[in-house]
Amino acid sequence: MAGSPRRTAGRRLQLPLLCLLLQGATAILFAVFVRYNHETDAALWHWRNHSNADNEFYFRYPSFQDVHTMIFVGFGFLMVFLQRYGFSSVGFTFLLAAFALQWSTLVQGFFHSFHGGHIHVGIERLGRLSCCSWPCWRWCYLASTSLCSLVSSGVLYRPQLEKSKHRQGSVYHSDLFAMIGTIFLWIFWPSFNSAPTTLGDGQHRTALNTYYSLTASTLSTFALSALVGRDGRLDMVHVQNAALAGGVVVGTSAEMMLTPFGALVAGFLAGTVSTLGYKFFTPILESKLKVQDTCGVHNLHGMPGVLGALLGVLVAGLATHEAYGDGLESVFPLLAKGQRSATSQAMHQLFGLFVTLIFASVGGSLGGLLLRLPFLDSPPDSQCYEDQIYWEVPGEHEDLAQGPLRAEEPETRA
């Protein structure tokens, strides 16, 4: 059942009008401001007599592909654990990511590649945009995204959402598909962290530190999940999410001289904190604070993200010319020039964390208030987490108010 005729008519127009409005606005801004950079423009490239093999495309495109696989496949499939929201999880991730890439070209371009009255784009800029499709500072982006989401969820809280609680659970096949997303994210997270870094040792070090951290978070997740689980059994929720915390926690420090041992320690701590968060903190968020963290962003992105930002503060404070040599300039240029001490650099990073969290809180509040506007037509309390509201679902015409009969009993994610 799609709802009343009035609601159906409104929904028929909302998405087309919104897509056309946003696409029209970005198209106009692209026409006015966006141009090819010297690596992409035919005249500029050949005028400088470069060898085609030297083009940035051949160095950056592998990371570009990896990050897009993460965004469109990894994050999309990670969210299909909701038993009746799989189409929406994959489909709306596809839609939002496609628009975010256009919008980020403009937002990031005005800040980082705007000169001569234009934004200049190429494969390097696109690769960086893919890593920053959510507008926030790179080195604590996941923590800010988490806080923004939690604040928005608090603003959007509706006391009658308990009517849809049975749809928040997973079933066997939905968890299996979500695990596909986890595996893709795990494999490509080193590319996600290393894509924005400078070519050379920094990018090499970032990928290596991320891999070691991911392996350690996976082991700690399995260990803690069995330890706190019922009858010593593993919880698929923990494995799908907390195993990725190692990639989150080194987002700040992976380019630094963290050392392989440091990466292992950081990943193990992140997996532990994330698993315990899913087990003990998520129920408190929902029951006491009235915040519905359906996807567990606080446990996967929030706590490991803050831990990672603090790790970055520590490693920055320990930076020396002896440890980095001539490579100090590519990681901490102001330290290399003598314009800032290691302690000062650490304090700047700590201050950046606080500023980011403040911006995330304000942005989350404004986003939540925006989504409460009546014309956006939120689904009824009894029909949340349900694909049939927005999608043609083959073979299913049951009344959403009653819910379809299913052979499998859903397992609620705590």
Side-chain angles (χ1 to χ4, degrees):
M1 183 177 70
S4 65
R6 182 178 179 181
R7 182 181 293 270
T8 302
R11 189 174 297 125
R12 183 185 299 276
L13 294 175
Q14 284 173 355
L15 184 59
L17 289 177
L18 185 61
C19 288
L20 292 174
L21 175 64
L22 294 176
Q23 184 60 85
T26 54
I28 292 172
L29 291 172
F30 264 58
V32 175
F33 293 109
V34 180
R35 300 292 185 272
Y36 293 131
N37 69 2
H38 69 279
E39 299 270 350
T40 314
D41 186 274
L44 291 176
W45 175 256
H46 290 282
W47 175 69
R48 298 190 180 194
N49 295 319
H50 289 293
S51 167
N52 288 334
D54 294 332
N55 195 290
E56 193 77 17
F57 175 87
Y58 299 103
F59 300 99
R60 293 290 185 180
Y61 194 68
S63 295
F64 177 81
Q65 288 178 304
D66 291 352
V67 173
H68 279 74
T69 302
M70 281 188 67
I71 293 174
F72 290 97
V73 180
F75 285 115
F77 273 90
L78 182 62
M79 303 308 163
V80 301
F81 68 87
L82 292 168
Q83 54 174 319
R84 297 189 55 78
Y85 209 63
F87 283 16
S88 298
S89 299
V90 177
F92 289 139
T93 297
F94 190 11
L95 173 64
L96 291 173
F99 173 71
L101 290 171
Q102 294 185 38
W103 186 245
S104 294
T105 298
L106 296 168
V107 175
Q108 298 286 328
F110 282 123
F111 282 104
H112 299 294
S113 60
F114 188 78
H115 51 87
H118 295 108
I119 296 169
H120 297 269
V121 298
I123 196 68
E124 179 182 5
R125 176 56 51 192
L126 288 180
R128 293 171 185 260
L129 292 174
S130 301
C131 298
C132 303
S133 294
W134 298 270
C136 40
W137 294 353
R138 172 182 166 255
W139 40 270
C140 44
Y141 61 100
L142 292 173
S144 63
T145 302
S146 166
L147 181 59
C148 182
S149 301
L150 292 179
V151 172
S152 295
S153 179
V155 173
L156 291 169
Y157 176 75
R158 297 176 347 208
Q160 299 301 315
L161 282 178
E162 289 291 321
K163 295 178 180 179
S164 294
K165 189 173 180 61
H166 63 284
R167 293 195 184 91
Q168 284 187 265
S170 61
V171 291
Y172 187 87
H173 70 269
S174 66
D175 267 335
L176 188 60
F177 275 109
M179 195 63 197
I180 294 174
T182 297
I183 297 299
F184 270 96
L185 289 170
W186 199 100
I187 292 172
F188 292 114
W189 210 291
S191 294
F192 183 73
N193 280 349
S194 64
T197 61
T198 305
L199 290 174
D201 64 289
Q203 197 166 61
H204 193 165
R205 189 167 53 250
T206 301
L208 199 64
N209 286 334
T210 305
Y211 264 122
Y212 284 133
S213 185
L214 283 166
T215 59
S217 65
T218 301
L219 266 66
S220 64
T221 296
F222 274 82
L224 266 293
S225 182
L227 185 63
V228 302
R230 187 174 54 196
D231 300 325
R233 290 183 291 180
L234 296 169
D235 190 330
M236 185 58 85
V237 178
H238 303 160
V239 176
Q240 289 166 357
N241 296 278
L244 300 171
V248 176
V249 75
V250 295
T252 303
S253 57
E255 189 179 4
M256 305 176 193
M257 291 292 288
L258 179 60
T259 76
F261 170 74
L264 287 176
V265 173
F268 193 90
L269 288 175
T272 299
V273 168
S274 182
T275 303
L276 294 177
Y278 277 101
K279 180 64 178 180
F280 300 110
F281 192 67
T282 297
I284 296 175
L285 273 179
E286 190 166 335
S287 62
K288 303 296 184 182
L289 303 180
K290 307 302 180 184
V291 173
Q292 289 194 308
D293 188 10
T294 305
C295 297
V297 293
H298 177 70
N299 306 311
L300 173 54
H301 304 301
M303 294 189 294
V306 172
L307 182 63
L310 296 176
L311 176 63
V313 172
L314 174 63
V315 180
L318 298 175
T320 63
H321 285 273
E322 290 74 18
Y324 287 83
D326 292 338
L328 184 64
E329 186 172 0
S330 64
V331 182
F332 298 115
L334 294 182
L335 265 69
K337 296 174 182 177
Q339 298 177 10
R340 182 179 293 175
S341 67
T343 301
S344 177
Q345 178 65 41
M347 291 300 100
H348 275 78
Q349 299 215 182
L350 183 61
F351 179 72
L353 171 63
F354 291 136
V355 171
T356 302
L357 294 179
I358 291 172
F359 271 92
S361 300
V362 174
S365 300
L366 294 177
L369 292 173
L370 179 65
L371 291 173
R372 290 180 68 97
L373 294 176
F375 76 89
L376 291 178
D377 189 30
S378 299
D381 293 336
S382 61
Q383 297 179 6
C384 294
Y385 317 109
E386 173 58 62
D387 272 336
Q388 287 190 66
I389 297 177
Y390 303 106
W391 300 86
E392 290 284 350
V393 181
E396 297 198 12
H397 303 284
E398 295 88 351
D399 188 341
L400 295 182
Q402 299 177 358
L405 298 176
R406 301 188 65 85
E408 299 174 273
E409 288 297 325
E411 176 187 355
T412 302
R413 299 165 75 89

